[in-house]
Amino acid sequence: MAEDDTPKRPRAPNPRVPSRRAPRARPAAPEPAFAADPGATAPKRRARLPGGKAPAAKPLAPPVRTAPTPAPHPERAEALRLLHEALERGRPLADASRDAAAQALPGPVRAHALRLATETIRRLGQADAVLARFVRRTPPAAARDALRLAAVSLHALSEAPHAAVDGAVAALRTRPGGARLTGLANAVARRLATPEAAALWARTEPDAPRLNAPGWLWGRLSSAHGAAAARRICAAHLAQPPLDLTPRDPADARVLADALGATLTRTGSLRLSAPGQVSTLPGFAEGRWWVQDAAAALPARLLAPQPGERVLDLCAAPGGKTLQLAAAGADVTALDLSEPRLERLAENLARTGLAAETVCADALDWAPDAPFDAILLDAPCSATGTARRHPEVLHRREKPDLASLTALQDALLDRAWSWLRPGGRLVFATCSLLPEEGEARAAAFRARTPAARPAPPSGLPPELLSEDGDLRTRPDLWPELGGLDGFFAAAFVKEA
Ligand SMILES: C[S@@+](CC[C@H](N)C(=O)[O-])C[C@H]1O[C@@H](n2cnc3c(N)ncnc32)[C@H](O)[C@@H]1O
């Protein structure tokens, strides 16, 4: 069981009391955080001796508490756990919110916790700027995160002070070592709820895009896209993005849009601004669509897979693009290094009733038995293009090692190219905002691969094309519709 399920230690059994007298409890098992099973603590009835006499009473053990009072703010306790997983351990929030500790919570609590943690990470810079006025030194990580959560709940989410302040302090108590920090956290959190703190927060708003972006990202975006575009992109990172869906059958898109109350984008995605719970939306159970940002749906369209073609989806998991390729009728091999992510890909295939062969392997070691007609390489990258949905990608302890990432992207491109039949097509894509991982990789590939003929996409809105005619999307595009993730994709044909 995860550490966060055990906020309090189980009491040690009293050795002076015969065990048959003790109430039935599982002394070795940690107490569940929010379980309440009053029956579990009921003492057994005393047995009667023959003749109806009860045995002489012996002193009873003090009651063992196996059902702690439910934590008063479970969503905040879970939000703090998520913040720890994302900021200290570098895990995606979406992965951490599938942990057993999260699964034990009711769905709405889990969803609320994920919203709180996501918004706190989006507004980390503002929260830290305001906190700096109330603390002399940065508090230990657990207390710092509880205070960040309180600040964002109060000033970005306009939550009531009793939930934001008391909730954050109570949640801190559930963290390892958190109980001894609650005095400090309580004093500071109360000051965060004052008009003085509200005024401070309001003063940070005009510079929120810059304050909430890590310095390395701001610098790189400014030099790549210009200062004004950097500000627009970082402003877009602060907004809750819409939910985009890809229809399994493009011909079904209009009917689905009507059923879902969705907008049909110019590139064929369905867009919902206030989605609610995804699994209850029309068409989910029948697998008629899957969740995929409108920009993320474009690289597979660039590949234009045909029915019966042998197609490799390289770096495939969790599989949004595999589903698109399979839905087009291609004979798909989906390869990825990560087994857990491939499990999610298999779940997605099962729900949508689509088929693909899955291979768990390192693409740098693996080789196919026969060449492919088409290959989609969605290469590992800084993932900066997904920051509006996954803000934690910007706040890992280490900033992205671009030299290693771009070397891996080049190696994967060259390997994939060698697996393509003459006349075959390859699309290279990254979900990055940085030209080093997009435009520069495509240019270097063109320069070292004479047989690679660029095949710029046709039929895309011009605002989604780079200077070279490749796909380039950014969060500040389509502002009236709610933006797009950042993606780059270039297509090549292998000359015979
Ligand atoms: C950008 S994600 C892929 C997203 C996926 N194409 C989709 O649409 O859902 C990159 C993937 O590359 C995988 N990966 C990283 N290095 C790899 C390698 N050497 N061989 C195979 N897969 C790798 C990661 O496990 C990760 O799932």
Side-chain angles (χ1 to χ4, degrees), residues 315-321 335-338 341 361-364 378-380 431:
C315 299
K321 298 173 190 69
L335 182 143
D336 202 281
L337 188 59
S338 159
R341 285 168 71 88
D362 185 334
L364 299 176
D378 188 13
C431 54

Side-chain angles (χ1 to χ4, degrees), residues 203-218:
R203 283 211 287 283
T204 64
E205 273 300 336
D207 205 23
R210 186 180 185 138
L211 263 178
N212 291 306
W216 62 264
L217 181 75
W218 185 266

